Amino acid sequence: MSVSRREFFRKSLAATGVGAGVVAATATKGTAAEQFAGYPDRYGVLVDLTLCTGCRTCEAACYAENHDKDSNRAVNNEYKGNLPKPEVPFDDVTVTHQRRRTSPGAYTVVNRYEGKGAVVQKEGIFKKLQCFHCNEPACASACLVGALRKTKEGAVVYDVDTCIGCRYCMTACPFYIPTYEYEKAFTPRVMKCTFCYHRLAEGRAPACVASCPFGVMTFGKRSELLEAAKERIARHPDRYVHHVYGEEEVGGTSWLYLSPVPFEEVGFQTNLPTVPLGEFTHTALSVVPMVVLLWPTLLGGLYALNRRRDDIAEQEKDTAVDAAVTDAVAQADAKAETKLAGALKKAEKDKEKAVKEAREEASKTTASEEESK
Ligand code: SF4
Ligand code: SF4
Ligand code: SF4
């Protein structure tokens, strides 16, 4: 799909005519983080960028956890992924110098940023990227068939059997996370980090979190992680930017970040609203299910309209035929009458002629008899 996200939201708002209303509502609502009351015990992960060394162990652990074909339907039809072998072996850390994104072959990537202003990490800042597992995910709101959903554990999971491949989720995601298996002719899937839902459902930390040798990621209840993050900032005010990324962005996310440099310097989007983008996509796309629901009625209406048009045409045809027949009969009658009149006239003339001839013959006979006397 070539529609940019900006264009998508612009068109969505324009389509529903709520653009100005949404902006006004945003200003008076306060933060969405305060509004989201669902799943208070949901899990989260706190990622501390001051600790990451870019070793890619977490990438390797993600692959190890999610490449198994047999475990493709791990929990409640949510698949692990059947991830392909990596193009670059996980012990080659030079790839972290590229600006990699998540892909159909990688739920998570670690990239290096300069981070010149950092108190620590003179050699650069490494950022692990994966799905943020938003509190109120735009991807799920944009999905017409409910193939993506937020679970009570905090994971945003995907059901491949429900997905129709429209890829609206990719357009809606503000973090550019979901990818698509374009190269697969049959049963292509939307691919994104599952938060290791099969582990999460058992209260276990995701594989990448558990694997990190440097304790970069902390797994726990999101509410507690938020407190821990703020305490860490308070204890080391010179080490961290005084903001927890994901606390409020797009209504809050399950994955939270601490950074030693302004977040835009390590590739985070810092211009996102604090309300869930789902409010926009849902509002815009809510008309679509309505169309889907109304479709049978619309089809029925079209059928009835066509039927009525056909009936009228049929009636008009019958009327025209009747008129033509009546006309033809009338014409035939008129012709017949004319013919009859002609025939009668002719018969009269013939009769007069015959009478005249008979009279003439009779007078000739009488004259001849008189002569012979
Ligand atoms: S998060 Fe941990 S495992 Fe992943 S690259 Fe950073 S240090 Fe290595
Ligand atoms: S980061 Fe993107 S894909 Fe992940 S839950 Fe949020 S909107 Fe969905
Ligand atoms: S949570 Fe699981 S699926 Fe997501 S990046 Fe970590 S290991 Fe991969």
Side-chain angles (χ1 to χ4, degrees):
M1 184 168 293
S2 60
V3 182
S4 71
R5 285 158 180 74
R6 183 183 296 275
E7 187 68 355
F8 176 81
F9 291 123
R10 193 185 64 72
K11 281 184 177 170
S12 299
L13 295 176
T16 53
V18 297
V22 167
V23 174
T26 303
T28 54
K29 269 180 170 178
T31 65
E34 292 162 358
Q35 297 166 24
F36 184 67
Y39 312 141
D41 287 335
R42 64 193 182 281
Y43 291 114
V45 172
L46 176 61
V47 187
D48 188 336
L49 297 187
T50 66
L51 302 175
C52 182
T53 63
C55 66
R56 297 186 71 206
T57 305
C58 53
E59 288 187 38
C62 182
Y63 168 74
E65 188 72 22
N66 294 301
H67 79 279
D68 185 359
K69 193 174 183 179
D70 295 334
S71 61
N72 214 27
R73 294 280 185 275
V75 182
N76 297 334
N77 210 32
E78 279 85 35
Y79 65 94
K80 286 179 170 182
N82 191 15
L83 292 179
K85 279 197 176 138
E87 287 174 15
V88 180
F90 291 116
D91 57 5
D92 181 350
V93 295
T94 59
V95 290
T96 61
H97 289 240
Q98 300 166 15
R99 285 287 174 272
R100 294 176 300 154
R101 300 216 58 86
T102 52
S103 70
Y107 285 162
T108 185
V109 290
V110 179
N111 291 331
R112 179 184 176 277
Y113 293 82
E114 285 300 319
K116 289 190 178 106
V119 175
V120 291
Q121 294 159 278
K122 302 291 183 206
E123 63 290 336
I125 297 170
F126 296 90
K127 181 183 86 172
K128 179 184 183 296
L129 178 69
Q130 70 297 301
C131 172
F132 285 72
H133 296 278
C134 305
N135 287 346
E136 296 177 71
C139 59
S141 294
C143 180
L144 303 178
V145 293
L148 286 151
R149 68 185 171 89
K150 179 81 170 173
T151 66
K152 67 179 184 344
E153 293 86 356
V156 175
V157 294
Y158 166 72
D159 181 353
V160 67
D161 293 330
T162 304
C163 177
I164 55 172
C166 66
R167 303 186 297 286
Y168 281 0
C169 54
M170 293 170 64
T171 306
C173 174
F175 302 110
Y176 302 82
I177 294 297
T179 57
Y180 196 64
E181 294 179 312
Y182 287 105
E183 76 287 356
K184 280 196 179 167
F186 304 105
T187 64
R189 299 168 299 173
V190 169
M191 300 291 279
K192 74 164 200 70
C193 156
T194 65
F195 206 157
C196 283
Y197 183 56
H198 53 289
R199 294 169 66 108
L200 210 62
E202 298 169 356
R204 290 195 295 144
C208 56
V209 175
S211 73
C212 178
F214 301 97
V216 170
M217 294 166 278
T218 309
F219 171 70
K221 299 277 165 64
R222 182 185 185 271
S223 54
E224 293 169 9
L225 292 175
L226 209 45
E227 292 301 311
K230 288 175 181 174
E231 275 176 31
R232 219 178 276 189
I233 293 172
R235 251 187 288 128
H236 305 285
D238 55 337
R239 179 183 289 187
Y240 299 107
V241 167
H242 295 191
H243 177 66
V244 182
Y245 192 91
E247 179 181 12
E248 294 183 348
E249 280 76 10
V250 293
T253 61
S254 281
W255 282 61
L256 306 164
Y257 285 83
L258 286 173
S259 172
V261 293
F263 283 95
E264 58 270 22
E265 290 183 23
V266 278
F268 285 91
Q269 285 174 268
T270 52
N271 57 352
L272 296 173
T274 56
V275 290
L277 292 181
E279 284 193 9
F280 303 144
T281 53
H282 182 75
T283 305
L285 293 170
S286 61
V287 297
V288 177
M290 200 195 304
V291 168
V292 172
L293 285 174
L294 289 175
W295 192 237
T297 313
L298 289 171
L299 284 177
L302 283 173
Y303 174 77
L305 206 64
N306 281 336
R307 215 26 272 166
R308 179 163 159 65
R309 198 185 56 195
D310 290 348
D311 286 349
I312 290 171
E314 200 67 27
Q315 282 173 11
E316 284 176 348
K317 194 172 81 183
D318 288 348
T319 307
V321 169
D322 285 350
V325 169
T326 306
D327 197 35
V329 169
Q331 281 184 25
D333 286 351
K335 267 186 192 168
E337 274 179 29
T338 308
K339 258 189 177 178
L340 183 62
L344 287 172
K345 207 170 181 178
K346 185 170 180 291
E348 191 67 27
K349 274 187 181 171
D350 288 347
K351 188 177 147 194
E352 281 175 10
K353 187 181 171 190
V355 168
K356 189 181 171 190
E357 284 175 354
R359 278 183 187 152
E360 284 174 357
E361 190 61 32
S363 41
K364 276 183 191 168
T365 306
T366 308
S368 159
E369 286 174 352
E370 284 179 358
E371 277 178 15
S372 61
K373 280 180 189 176

